[in-house]
């Protein structure tokens, strides 16, 4: 794959084959949305081709030939070169690209075609279609953290099923704090209880920071009935003695004291554990406040009349 004749074999005999203006704009838009790095950029870098943003998308037939020659003259194995060319063919109008025919003619292994199909859709933020390919058990995970991060960032905010599905299919390493935090926030949105147990599985260095992030999420990223529901779920989680200490330290003396409803949550946790006297002592600082619509003064008086406290 090194000659001009091969370029014509791959892209057809039309001398001016090139990307349409609409495709160029769409690619540049998605690169910006993906923090200025497409997954195709990463693939080019992996075969030793730098400055991908200056080469892709090609703005003319001449630019396309330069990119093609850079790919085919690289020292990479043929199946990697063919995979990149297959990606380029997918960019062209379907009736003219011949991407499938090229894959068949070049004996591109199915797993490489599956991966490139997934990456191509991911670069266009067609997340559901991308996941159909990238979660395939036939693939060796490539860029798993980066893929998970993209799903966390761009999946609908009220639906975390795509990032969670990819995570449980591939189990990315979550090697960077950026990826771990993005995934943990999605986990909290999907299920506070599952996120709680996930934090326990991350080892001693990450357990406490994630546990604190769980508490922060409930108070800082929820509102109205959602906050009330999540707070109720939080105070009923089966904390260990160590987690109980972290919980109280964070909300009573740490940075969590500035969170809206921090003292309310502490008080309700004590009530949930049957520590009514301690809850009342804490609640005396909340005179006039409401918890899920119930005034604390009324709640305290009710406990007294019932003989629960003296």
């Amino acid at each position: 794959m090194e000659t001009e004749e091969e370029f014509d074999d791959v892209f057809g005999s039309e001398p001016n084959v090139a990307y349409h203006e609409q495709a160029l704009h769409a690619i540049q838009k998605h690169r910006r949305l993906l923090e200025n790095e497409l997954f195709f950029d990463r693939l080019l870098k992996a075969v030793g081709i730098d400055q991908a943003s200056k080469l892709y998308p090609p703005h003319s037939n001449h630019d396309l030939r330069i990119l093609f020659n850079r790919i085919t003259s690289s020292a990479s194995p043929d199946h990697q070169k063919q995979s990149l060319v297959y990606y380029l063919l997918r960019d062209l109008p379907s009736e003219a690209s011949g991407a499938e025919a090229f894959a068949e003619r070049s004996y591109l292994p199915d797993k490489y075609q599956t991966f490139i199909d997934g990456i191509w859709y991911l670069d266009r933020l067609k997340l559901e279609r991308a996941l159909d390919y990238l979660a395939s058990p036939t693939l060796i995970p490539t860029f798993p953290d980066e893929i998970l991060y993209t799903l966390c960032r761009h999946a609908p905010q009220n639906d975390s099923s795509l990032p969670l599905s990819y995570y449980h299919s591939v189990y990315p390493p979550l090697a960077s704090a950026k990826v771990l935090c993005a995934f943990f926030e999605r986990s909290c949105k999907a299920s506070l209880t599952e996120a709680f147990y996930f934090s326990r599985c991350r080892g001693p260095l990450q357990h406490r920071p994630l546990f604190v992030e769980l508490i922060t999420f409930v108070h800082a990223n929820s509102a109205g009935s959602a906050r009330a529901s999540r707070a109720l779920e939080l105070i009923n989680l089966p904390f260990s003695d160590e987690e109980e200490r972290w919980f109280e330290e964070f909300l009573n003396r740490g940075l969590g004291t500035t969170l809206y409803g921090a003292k309310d949550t502490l008080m309700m946790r004590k009530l949930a554990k049957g520590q009514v006297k301690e809850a009342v002592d804490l609640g005396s600082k909340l005179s006039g406040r409401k918890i899920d619509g119930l005034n604390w003064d009324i709640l305290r008086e009710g406990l007294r009349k019932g003989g629960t406290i003296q």
Side-chain angles (χ1 to χ4, degrees):
M1 299 182 66
E2 296 180 357
T3 67
E4 287 296 312
E5 288 77 9
E6 285 171 336
F7 177 92
D8 292 336
D9 288 342
V10 170
F11 289 95
S13 58
E14 169 58 46
N16 294 317
V17 60
Y19 283 52
H20 292 171
E21 197 70 23
Q22 184 178 1
L24 295 173
H25 289 317
I27 291 166
Q28 291 164 335
K29 172 187 173 183
H30 289 124
R31 178 180 275 127
R32 290 192 295 271
L33 291 173
L34 290 167
E35 300 182 1
N36 296 314
E37 188 172 28
L38 295 166
F39 283 89
F40 187 67
D41 299 342
R42 294 182 172 94
L43 292 175
L44 289 176
K45 186 176 181 179
V47 300
I49 300 175
D50 295 324
Q51 298 182 314
S53 62
K54 294 184 178 180
L55 293 168
Y56 180 83
H59 288 262
S60 65
N61 176 267
H62 177 70
D63 291 342
L64 180 58
R65 289 176 184 271
I66 289 175
L67 178 56
F68 177 83
N69 288 334
R70 289 286 300 275
I71 291 170
T72 57
S73 62
S74 72
S76 303
D78 279 349
H79 60 263
Q80 291 186 10
K81 299 177 187 179
Q82 292 161 351
S83 296
L84 295 174
V85 171
Y86 174 74
Y87 183 105
L88 296 178
L89 285 166
R90 289 218 53 170
D91 285 342
L92 300 175
S94 58
E95 66 273 16
S97 71
E100 291 290 338
F102 170 78
E104 183 176 349
R105 187 170 67 251
S106 60
Y107 299 102
L108 182 64
D110 288 344
K111 64 180 180 180
Y112 287 96
Q113 185 176 354
T114 297
F115 176 68
I116 293 298
D117 285 337
I119 290 300
W120 190 86
Y121 280 117
L122 193 61
D123 275 342
R124 281 139 192 83
L125 293 177
K126 296 180 178 180
L127 303 183
E128 290 190 34
R129 293 298 307 274
L131 195 61
D132 288 342
Y133 295 98
L134 296 174
S136 170
T138 65
L139 298 183
I140 298 174
T142 304
F143 309 131
D145 271 7
E146 293 84 350
I147 291 170
L148 179 62
Y149 180 73
T150 299
L151 293 172
C152 289
R153 280 288 310 277
H154 295 283
Q157 287 302 307
N158 61 350
D159 183 2
S160 295
S161 59
L162 291 177
L164 289 175
S165 177
Y166 181 74
Y167 175 80
H168 289 297
S169 297
V170 176
Y171 289 103
L174 307 178
S176 75
K178 180 177 79 169
V179 177
L180 177 60
C181 289
F183 176 70
F184 191 67
E185 182 178 348
R186 283 292 187 166
S187 298
C188 289
K189 288 180 178 180
S191 169
L192 211 65
T193 299
E194 291 299 319
F196 167 70
Y197 285 111
F198 173 84
S199 72
R200 285 182 165 182
C201 298
R202 294 301 298 180
L205 293 179
Q206 294 179 343
H207 182 190
R208 183 170 185 172
L210 289 177
F211 181 78
V212 166
E213 185 59 35
L214 183 82
I215 302 169
T216 302
F217 173 83
V218 170
H219 294 82
N221 294 286
S222 308
S225 61
R227 177 163 44 218
S229 176
R230 286 168 174 162
L232 186 62
E233 187 176 356
L234 175 66
I235 65 173
N236 284 289
L237 289 172
F239 296 164
S240 66
D241 291 343
E242 185 176 44
E243 289 166 335
E244 198 75 55
R245 188 176 70 255
W246 295 344
F247 182 79
E248 186 144 346
E249 286 177 357
F250 179 65
L251 291 178
N252 204 29
R253 296 183 292 279
L255 295 175
T257 57
T258 63
L259 294 172
Y260 178 82
K263 290 292 192 290
D264 296 342
T265 302
L266 267 176
M267 185 272 294
M268 294 301 288
R269 173 69 181 178
K270 291 183 181 300
L271 283 177
K273 293 174 61 186
Q275 299 174 347
V276 179
K277 178 64 168 62
E278 292 88 340
V280 169
D281 290 343
L282 181 63
S284 64
K285 303 173 184 177
L286 305 175
S287 179
R289 290 279 296 280
K290 289 186 177 182
I291 302 165
D292 292 350
L294 177 62
N295 187 288
W296 168 245
D297 291 337
I298 296 173
L299 176 60
R300 180 174 53 192
E301 186 62 26
L303 291 170
R304 281 188 174 134
K305 286 182 178 179
T308 308
I309 59 175
Q310 301 300 320

